[in-house]
Amino acid sequence: MRNDKDNLIIKLTFELALEIISFSEKIRANNRFEMASQIFRSGTSIGANIREAQNAESKRDFIHKFKISAKEADELEYWLRLCEASDFYPNPDEKIFKQLKSVVLIISKIISTSKRS
């Protein structure tokens, strides 16, 4: 098995996914299954795609997987902002937004650096 402890983006997306699992369970506890599922899928998909990128068949494939992760991060932010604005859902912790912002910045940097090299 691969050792990903020194890979910052893998570590950060794993930690974010754990927060998302916890938050989606809060939503599920309120019988809001559709929103919980959307948040769970987009929030855990970010790291899953980055893990896949570690085994990319080419640089193009690597970049593509990171772009998918970026899209999933945008989608996650959308669902979290809906929860924040709605009276029917719990508010996400500020920690989640900070983690997401960090992940998005790193993903963007990895994509731009990979395109140049």
Side-chain angles (χ1 to χ4, degrees), residues 52-53 55-66:
E52 274 190 58
N55 295 308
E57 296 174 10
S58 65
K59 183 163 70 165
R60 186 175 174 187
D61 185 35
F62 179 85
I63 292 168
H64 177 70
K65 299 262 189 277
F66 268 85

Side-chain angles (χ1 to χ4, degrees), residues 17-31:
L18 290 174
E19 290 293 326
I20 291 302
I21 290 167
S22 180
F23 182 63
S24 66
E25 286 303 316
K26 284 182 190 175
I27 297 170
R28 228 177 269 290
N30 293 322
N31 295 321

Side-chain angles (χ1 to χ4, degrees), residues 10-98:
I10 287 178
K11 179 181 179 284
L12 292 177
T13 55
F14 189 82
E15 291 169 358
L16 175 61
L18 290 174
E19 290 293 326
I20 291 302
I21 290 167
S22 180
F23 182 63
S24 66
E25 286 303 316
K26 284 182 190 175
I27 297 170
R28 228 177 269 290
N30 293 322
N31 295 321
R32 304 282 191 225
F33 302 109
E34 295 84 1
M35 182 65 82
S37 293
Q38 292 288 356
I39 289 171
F40 182 90
R41 278 195 298 271
S42 60
T44 58
S45 178
I46 299 165
N49 279 292
I50 288 172
R51 289 280 304 228
E52 274 190 58
Q54 305 310 300
N55 295 308
E57 296 174 10
S58 65
K59 183 163 70 165
R60 186 175 174 187
D61 185 35
F62 179 85
I63 292 168
H64 177 70
K65 299 262 189 277
F66 268 85
K67 284 183 175 182
I68 292 170
S69 290
K71 288 179 182 182
E72 293 293 341
D74 284 344
E75 182 179 335
L76 174 61
E77 184 180 9
Y78 175 78
W79 297 124
L80 293 173
R81 295 290 178 198
L82 277 178
C83 287
E84 192 176 52
S86 174
D87 295 333
F88 301 103
Y89 298 101
N91 281 331
D93 295 331
E94 190 59 35
K95 179 181 180 181
I96 292 176
F97 286 112
K98 286 179 182 177

